[in-house]
Amino acid sequence: MPDRGGGPTGPRIRVGRPSRRARTLLMTLGVLAALVMAFIMFSGFWTDWLWYRSVSYSSVFTTTLWTKIGLFLVFGLLMALAVGLNVWLAYRLRPPLSAMSLEQQSLDRYRMGVAPFKKWVLLAVTALVGLISGASASGQWRTWLMYVNGVSFGQKDPQFHLDVSFYAFDLPWYRFLLGFGFAAAVLSLIAAALTHYLYGGLRITSPGARATGAATGHLSVLLGVFVSLKAVAYWLDRYGLAVKSSDFKATDNWTGLRYVDANAYLPAKTILFCIAVICAVLFFATLWRRTWQLPVIGFGLMVLSAILIGGLYPAIVQKFQVQPNEQAKEAPFISKNIKATRDAYDIDDAQVDDYAGKSTETEGAALRTQADAAASYRVMDPNVVSPAFQQLQQKRNYYQFPATLDVDRYEEDGKEQDTVVGLRELNLAGLPKRNWINDHFTYTHGYGVIAAKGTSTGTNPVGSPDFTESGLPTTGKLGDYEQRIYYGEKTEQYSIVGGPQKELDYEDDGEKTTSYKGDSGVSLANAFNRAAYAVSFSEPQILYSGAIGDGSRILYNRTPKERVEAVAPWLTIDGDAYPAVVDHRIKWIVDAYTTTNGYPYASRTTLGDTTADSLTTNQRAVVAQQNQVNYIRNSVKATVDAYDGTVTLYEWDTEDPVLKTWRKAFPGTVKDKSAIPEELMDHLRYPQDLFKVQRELLTRYHVTNPAQFYSGSDAWQVPDDPTNKEPGSVPPYYLSMKMPDQDQQTFSLTTTFTPRGRPDLGAFMAVDADAASDDYGTIRLLRVTNTVKGPGQVQSELNGNDDVAEFVRNLKGTDSDIEYGNLLTVPLDGGFLYIEPVYTRGGNQNYPLLRKVAASFGSKIVFENSLGEALNAVFDVDGTTTQPTEPTEPTKPTEPTKPPATGDAALKEAIADAQKAYDAGQKALQEQDWSAYGEAQEDLQSALKRAAEAQSGAGGSEAGSGSGGTAGDTAAPAGGAADQGS
């Protein structure tokens, strides 16, 4: 390389410093990177705003956002000011420089290092604690809104005589403020102590006083603030006793004061409050006395008092006063707990009546007539027949039905009919080819409602659902309605509709296409929105895909539960949304609850655990909330339009103070109850999850006598589901039936109880579930006074029944399995009638078909081919003299009478009949038509008997030998068939 004049004496070359162009490029890239990061952070906010605006609930978004921002700023600034002010004050109160000790010489290096940056260090520390505190405070937006908008309950607690709203709305906010105050005091104390130590106000190893007077006064005031807050905590703890959970023999999750609380803890908290106030005054007094002697003595006294008065004294009272006579001591408090719990869970008006459990009627025909009027027996179990819907009505692999169908009511011939309903929703896993266009543009919606009668079966094949709405597109009893389903329980992916790309509507003699015409979703017409969603969904194709253009809209948050939770985040959503055809539209109906954890004396329950049963493991959802509550109301009925996703919230409980509070916080979001359309009202029902919470509470709280409640002698339990192999409580069943005090059938939700630790029936519970009924929500309990078989015992007897055993043996030869349906319990003439449909599945039939119906009444249990036959048999009634419960198949015409054959002709005729019966039996086995199979077996036995008689009567060894051989040859396959059937 040529010498360019460098070298030791040449001009110095600057190494590593970029040129102006490079610096400009780096700055530009830095700015662009910052803008990209900012846009990524902003995109989530922007897409949320667009979504809330698209569903017309932007006020929910803005109210929640501004509340969070306000709490963040206020409490973040308060914490930053508290800590920063005390650090600054400690610095101002630093002592002048004095003779340096080894300790101070070591600290001097730190002081010199911090000195140039002390302002930045102060700002950094205060900013950090402010950000953390603000973020924590913003999470309390619900607590703040309930506090500032709280309305009165109109009920007072029995101990302090304060309105329940104080505990539900005010006390949680006071506790948050107290916690924030403690955090501010502790952080300020730590920051001030470190600053004093750094600048010599506190000395650990240096000779002389350990603290300067200024440091002593400053820290004493902070300790005085802390102790003052402790005094406030003691005072609030007095009221907290009314909502305090504790372990108690009488019940799990006990809430409220007990004897020891009222007579030991309550006075102890008052005494400790007074001691804490005195101790705080002593700490403040150090501003004048400049000594910690008295404050330290006072603080030690407070700690000792907390141990002796707050801990030891209540233990002594419990040991020597309560335990020797606990039932009598606790009786007044148990009464308060019972009353509060029954009020909080809306079970205070439950009607509890004694019920013999044994029928007094001896006439079978009369009982048979009563049985027809007692209930509409739903033999189509929505928890079992979904695969039949799938097999018979799926039509295409990209459709699906939920594992658990729903029960609703529709009119047929002017009479209300219990109906099993399912929507044919989209199933992306069944697409012929998976790609981004197919997943999000072409296959966008399900199609149609499929409905079947709950009380009868179809004939094609026998035992299948009796569909009242079927096909693709569907036709039937529901009339004309919008069948496209863009929003459903199984629709979890986003779709982009309405643009250049056509959607597949359905396939029926060729593909039909459509383009979305609804107002739902967010427009992707502009590049900014597309970029925001590309970032938010991590899908860059949204930004540049040619399938998106004018008119394109993105649909997401598509399950009914997601949509209602988003527009009303203060509600707890029921685990089961159900569809109904209302005003020519498919509407998802969602039950929603208001809850609180602050109802004094009411025992707590965990919703997620209480609402679990044998079906929630894999078939249906459960309430997601796992925190404990002790007040619940079904205060809101919500609907979600399956086509355009419109969410509508209707007030249901007009007296609920929690709902009134939230309506004040979010005005205009919930419509009045009077706005519910009449057609929608016909489909509203009592929610299952609320019913399950109430039945769990009623296992103990049906008892109102304190002594009996304490002993637990009349406690019940929800039995395990005897029809399900998986462990879990029996689910409640919707059923049109009438209780003993009712004149006609009512759409009801029912369940059974067994005495705790015993299998027999303890009680039966039903609630009027028809929202249009004047008695809606009325809970009726029948307390069984005699020994009656419980559900598990009935199922065990059924499993051991000879007819069932033979039926199961016959199934083994066809590789089929038996499936038990819902075990329905119906009060009848002082006793209980059990009805259980029995399905088969397997072999060539991979979906359940109803084959048998079991019935039990009193000590008798029967297993018949149909509901009508089962009812006739269990009441010993000839079916020809009783009006059948369900349509029967037409009888076969009687064939003309033939003269009886004799001799060889009789033998040949018997053999031919045997072969014919054998062939009919084989055909019935393949079709799993057990009624026909039974008839074929009877015909076979009759033919074989006639063949044997003809052979013995023919005479002659040669004729007998030949005839016997023929008969034996014919009997062999019949016997083989019987063996195979077994």
Side-chain angles (χ1 to χ4, degrees):
M1 296 293 292
D3 186 0
R4 296 188 182 274
T9 59
R12 225 183 311 177
I13 298 176
R14 296 182 178 179
V15 180
R17 183 174 180 178
S19 65
R20 178 176 297 178
R21 179 179 297 178
R23 292 198 302 271
T24 303
L25 179 60
L26 290 173
M27 291 179 63
T28 303
L29 291 176
V31 171
L32 288 175
L35 289 175
V36 169
M37 292 299 296
F39 183 77
I40 292 174
M41 297 172 63
F42 175 76
S43 63
F45 163 81
W46 181 245
T47 53
D48 285 347
W49 162 249
L50 291 175
W51 186 87
Y52 275 96
R53 192 175 64 176
S54 73
V55 294
S56 302
Y57 282 90
S58 56
S59 62
V60 174
F61 179 81
T62 54
T63 298
T64 305
L65 177 65
W66 288 117
T67 302
K68 290 180 178 179
I69 291 175
L71 292 172
F72 177 86
L73 292 177
V74 170
F75 288 95
L77 285 174
L78 285 176
M79 183 64 76
L81 286 174
V83 174
L85 179 63
N86 280 283
V87 170
W88 175 81
L89 188 58
Y91 176 75
R92 291 295 302 272
L93 295 176
R94 68 190 185 280
L97 294 177
S98 57
M100 297 296 289
S101 63
L102 290 177
E103 180 183 26
Q104 295 304 312
Q105 289 177 14
S106 299
L107 290 173
D108 192 50
R109 293 196 300 270
Y110 293 102
R111 286 193 287 262
M112 292 176 63
V114 169
F117 312 105
K118 58 179 179 292
K119 291 183 179 180
W120 292 106
V121 171
L122 178 61
L123 287 174
V125 170
T126 55
L128 179 61
V129 297
L131 287 172
I132 295 173
S133 299
S136 176
S138 66
Q140 298 295 321
W141 64 271
R142 290 181 177 86
T143 307
W144 164 252
L145 288 176
M146 293 183 77
Y147 169 73
V148 77
N149 294 288
V151 302
S152 171
F153 272 70
Q155 294 174 292
K156 298 183 183 297
D157 80 281
Q159 180 67 42
F160 302 103
H161 307 292
L162 296 173
D163 192 90
V164 173
S165 61
F166 170 79
Y167 301 93
F169 305 142
D170 299 344
L171 190 58
W173 179 249
Y174 296 152
R175 282 176 165 167
F176 164 72
L177 292 179
L178 185 63
F180 177 82
F182 274 124
V186 170
L187 289 175
S188 298
L189 184 63
I190 293 173
L194 288 174
T195 306
H196 279 300
Y197 177 70
L198 182 62
Y199 288 97
L202 292 178
R203 306 181 185 95
I204 298 176
T205 60
S206 300
R210 298 300 183 196
T212 64
T216 300
H218 184 197
L219 297 180
S220 295
V221 169
L222 290 176
L223 287 170
V225 170
F226 179 86
V227 176
S228 299
L229 292 172
K230 189 62 180 174
V232 176
Y234 281 133
W235 189 257
L236 288 181
D237 284 347
R238 298 169 68 255
Y239 302 111
L241 293 172
V243 290
K244 176 180 71 72
S245 293
S246 60
D247 295 328
F248 185 36
K249 175 184 176 181
T251 181
D252 298 330
N253 299 319
W254 172 277
T255 302
L257 285 84
R258 292 160 50 195
Y259 181 90
V260 69
D261 297 313
N263 296 278
Y265 279 111
L266 186 57
K269 296 294 183 182
T270 305
I271 294 171
L272 289 172
F273 164 76
C274 297
I275 294 174
V277 169
I278 295 171
C279 186
V281 171
L282 293 177
F283 273 109
F284 291 133
T286 57
L287 286 173
W288 295 275
R289 291 183 53 85
R290 301 296 184 182
T291 176
W292 280 355
Q293 184 176 5
L294 287 178
V296 169
I297 293 174
F299 189 77
L301 177 62
M302 186 178 74
V303 173
L304 183 62
S305 301
I307 296 173
L308 297 178
I309 302 175
L312 184 60
Y313 173 62
I316 293 173
V317 171
Q318 177 68 24
K319 180 70 175 177
F320 296 102
Q321 290 190 35
V322 178
Q323 287 185 4
N325 191 19
E326 189 173 47
Q327 179 175 314
K329 294 289 187 182
E330 301 289 7
F333 303 95
I334 293 175
S335 294
K336 296 174 184 178
N337 176 267
I338 292 174
K339 183 181 185 306
T341 302
R342 289 171 63 91
D343 286 340
Y345 292 94
D346 202 20
I347 57 176
D348 52 315
D349 293 329
Q351 302 175 9
V352 183
D353 297 313
D354 288 339
Y355 190 75
K358 295 184 180 297
S359 173
T360 57
E361 179 63 62
T362 58
E363 179 61 39
L367 286 171
R368 180 66 175 83
T369 302
Q370 290 185 46
D372 283 340
S376 297
Y377 305 96
R378 183 172 41 73
V379 293
M380 281 290 104
D381 185 352
N383 308 309
V384 174
V385 300
S386 177
F389 273 54
Q390 192 82 3
Q391 179 70 26
L392 301 174
Q393 293 296 325
Q394 180 188 24
K395 302 301 184 184
R396 298 290 183 269
N397 287 337
Y398 48 81
Y399 291 132
Q400 64 179 325
F401 291 93
T404 298
L405 303 175
D406 290 292
V407 177
D408 203 349
R409 296 141 293 152
Y410 289 91
E411 280 196 2
E412 183 173 348
D413 300 328
K415 183 180 179 182
E416 203 170 69
Q417 167 75 45
D418 288 1
T419 305
V420 179
V421 178
L423 294 195
R424 189 191 283 122
E425 294 192 50
L426 187 64
N427 176 25
L428 290 182
L431 295 188
K433 184 177 181 181
R434 297 293 301 273
N435 55 56
W436 190 64
I437 293 295
N438 277 349
D439 287 0
H440 301 289
F441 291 82
T442 304
Y443 295 89
T444 59
H445 58 278
Y447 212 96
V449 177
I450 303 300
K453 293 181 181 179
T455 55
S456 63
T457 60
T459 58
N460 187 25
V462 174
S464 63
D466 185 3
F467 292 108
T468 58
E469 185 78 16
S470 59
L472 179 67
T474 67
T475 56
K477 301 292 186 180
L478 299 183
D480 183 30
Y481 65 97
E482 174 56 68
Q483 298 194 21
R484 297 170 183 85
I485 303 165
Y486 284 87
Y487 295 88
E489 288 183 302
K490 303 294 183 182
T491 314
E492 298 178 346
Q493 76 286 351
Y494 70 87
S495 289
I496 299 176
V497 298
Q501 181 71 37
K502 290 291 184 180
E503 311 162 45
L504 175 67
D505 204 18
Y506 61 90
E507 292 182 82
D508 185 17
D509 298 328
E511 289 190 357
K512 306 290 194 302
T513 60
T514 187
S515 186
Y516 186 66
K517 300 297 191 299
D519 295 330
S520 183
V522 178
S523 172
L524 295 180
N526 66 74
F528 187 82
N529 285 358
R530 293 172 65 173
Y533 277 101
V535 171
S536 184
F537 286 9
S538 301
E539 182 51 73
Q541 293 188 77
I542 294 177
L543 182 60
Y544 56 78
S545 174
I548 302 175
D550 291 340
S552 292
R553 308 179 71 85
I554 185 168
L555 312 181
Y556 62 105
N557 287 350
R558 298 172 69 182
T559 67
K561 185 174 185 291
E562 282 179 325
R563 295 181 79 78
V564 176
E565 280 181 332
V567 303
W570 37 274
L571 290 173
T572 299
I573 308 303
D574 188 90
D576 184 29
Y578 60 98
V581 177
V582 178
D583 193 23
H584 308 292
R585 310 278 286 200
I586 301 173
K587 302 277 190 180
W588 288 100
I589 301 174
V590 183
D591 285 287
Y593 309 109
T594 48
T595 63
T596 182
N597 193 30
Y599 199 100
Y601 274 99
S603 289
R604 291 184 169 89
T605 186
T606 304
L607 294 185
D609 296 337
T610 309
T611 57
D613 59 33
S614 63
L615 301 179
T616 56
T617 52
N618 54 15
Q619 293 194 51
R620 70 177 292 263
V622 70
V623 171
Q625 187 167 329
Q626 287 298 327
N627 56 305
Q628 291 189 324
V629 302
N630 66 353
Y631 172 94
I632 185 170
R633 289 291 186 273
N634 176 212
S635 53
V636 171
K637 301 283 190 181
T639 64
V640 178
D641 191 293
Y643 181 71
D644 62 20
T646 300
V647 182
T648 308
L649 307 177
Y650 295 103
E651 173 193 37
W652 185 247
D653 189 330
T654 57
E655 303 299 324
D656 178 28
V658 182
L659 177 60
K660 292 178 180 178
T661 295
W662 287 118
R663 292 189 74 179
K664 283 181 64 179
F666 296 97
T669 56
V670 180
K671 294 185 177 181
D672 293 337
K673 186 176 183 178
S674 59
I676 298 178
E678 183 178 352
E679 190 174 353
L680 173 61
M681 184 71 77
D682 292 338
H683 295 279
L684 298 182
R685 69 189 192 190
Y686 203 83
Q688 289 189 60
D689 285 338
L690 176 61
F691 183 81
K692 286 189 279 190
V693 170
Q694 291 174 324
R695 75 171 179 178
E696 184 66 33
L697 269 296
L698 282 168
T699 58
R700 295 302 303 267
Y701 286 93
H702 67 279
V703 174
T704 57
N705 179 276
Q708 190 179 15
F709 185 90
Y710 177 84
S711 67
S713 59
D714 194 25
W716 301 332
Q717 65 185 13
V718 179
D720 286 338
D721 186 0
T723 68
N724 199 309
K725 297 178 182 178
E726 299 295 329
S729 301
V730 60
Y733 297 125
Y734 287 106
L735 181 69
S736 289
M737 56 159 289
K738 67 175 184 177
M739 292 289 277
D741 64 334
Q742 293 179 301
D743 297 327
Q744 60 185 6
Q745 294 180 19
T746 303
F747 189 65
S748 305
L749 193 52
T750 66
T751 193
T752 54
F753 297 101
T754 58
R756 182 161 294 180
R758 303 211 320 266
D760 48 299
L761 191 64
F764 178 80
M765 174 181 172
V767 63
D768 191 330
D770 185 354
S773 168
D774 293 335
D775 291 334
Y776 172 84
T778 300
I779 297 174
R780 295 177 173 88
L781 279 165
L782 301 179
R783 182 196 286 114
V784 181
T785 57
N786 291 298
T787 302
V788 178
K789 291 181 293 186
Q793 293 172 312
V794 171
Q795 189 66 49
S796 295
E797 286 189 14
L798 177 63
N799 294 340
N801 183 273
D802 291 340
D803 293 337
V804 177
E806 181 181 357
F807 181 74
V808 173
R809 284 196 300 271
N810 291 337
L811 281 179
K812 291 181 180 178
T814 60
D815 292 328
S816 298
D817 293 321
I818 188 171
E819 290 189 32
Y820 293 108
N822 36 219
L823 181 57
L824 303 176
T825 308
V826 177
L828 179 66
D829 189 53
F832 287 98
L833 172 64
Y834 289 97
I835 298 291
E836 182 173 36
V838 179
Y839 305 82
T840 63
R841 187 205 309 224
N844 297 325
Q845 161 217 323
N846 61 352
Y847 59 94
L849 293 177
L850 181 67
R851 293 303 188 189
K852 294 284 187 177
V853 176
S856 174
F857 188 76
S859 60
K860 188 171 184 179
I861 189 165
V862 299
F863 189 67
E864 301 294 336
N865 293 324
S866 67
L867 174 61
E869 292 179 17
L871 291 175
N872 289 338
V874 81
F875 296 121
D876 290 322
V877 173
D878 183 358
T880 60
T881 62
T882 305
Q883 182 68 25
T885 301
E886 58 187 2
T888 56
E889 296 183 3
T891 57
K892 298 178 181 178
T894 304
E895 297 182 359
T897 304
K898 297 185 295 181
T902 59
D904 290 343
L907 181 59
K908 291 179 180 179
E909 181 179 329
I911 291 173
D913 289 344
Q915 186 63 47
K916 183 179 178 181
Y918 168 72
D919 293 339
Q922 291 296 100
K923 182 179 179 182
L925 274 175
Q926 292 177 357
E927 296 178 354
Q928 295 195 15
D929 188 341
W930 305 114
S931 177
Y933 179 77
E935 293 176 2
Q937 291 300 302
E938 291 176 1
D939 293 343
L940 177 62
Q941 294 298 323
S942 176
L944 292 174
K945 181 178 179 182
R946 286 189 288 112
E949 291 173 351
Q951 179 183 9
S952 62
S957 61
E958 184 180 353
S961 175
S963 301
T966 307
D969 291 344
T970 305
D979 292 340
Q980 183 182 5
S982 300

